[in-house]
Amino acid sequence: MNLMIQEIRWATNRVSGETSRRVTATVSLVAKMGEIKELSNERRIFAVDAVDEDSVTLTVRYPSNPTADTVITVKAGESETYAPRSFGAGYIYQITLK
């Protein structure tokens, strides 16, 4: 199975109230257990925890705040959106399993 994650940067213009979005990274790889180094950084670590015939389970870990860790399960042929809480600007992750 192929796992694709798109990182989308969003921001809100405080004057006009308009929101803009821009794709900042796209990672496509074979789904296998382990850390996804292309998207991981000091604040947020993406890791594949389980792979079976029809789904993949990812964990987004926050080293500075483990209570914010999030588990995401994506089924084959479907997409999930992960949007960490942020105000005014941030990132959205679109996770697709093919």
Side-chain angles (χ1 to χ4, degrees):
M1 283 187 285
N2 191 29
L3 180 66
M4 185 176 87
I5 303 174
Q6 249 188 352
E7 180 182 71
I8 302 162
R9 170 91 170 127
W10 69 273
T12 301
N13 183 320
R14 294 179 191 263
V15 176
S16 68
E18 294 179 12
T19 301
S20 63
R21 292 179 180 221
R22 181 174 55 105
V23 175
T24 55
T26 301
V27 175
S28 185
L29 48 95
V30 175
K32 63 180 181 178
M33 292 178 57
E35 186 177 318
I36 301 172
K37 296 196 182 289
E38 295 86 352
L39 289 176
S40 298
N41 56 38
E42 293 174 3
R43 294 181 51 204
R44 191 177 293 134
I45 298 170
F46 284 82
V48 175
D49 293 329
V51 178
D52 62 28
E53 295 174 359
D54 60 347
S55 67
V56 170
T57 302
L58 295 141
T59 300
V60 183
R61 296 187 185 103
Y62 292 87
S64 63
N65 184 10
T67 60
D69 290 0
T70 304
V71 176
I72 304 161
T73 301
V74 184
K75 294 184 180 183
E78 296 183 10
S79 290
E80 293 289 330
T81 301
Y82 173 61
R85 188 173 121 182
S86 58
F87 302 97
Y91 291 93
I92 298 170
Y93 298 91
Q94 187 68 39
I95 305 161
T96 306
L97 186 61
K98 295 180 183 182

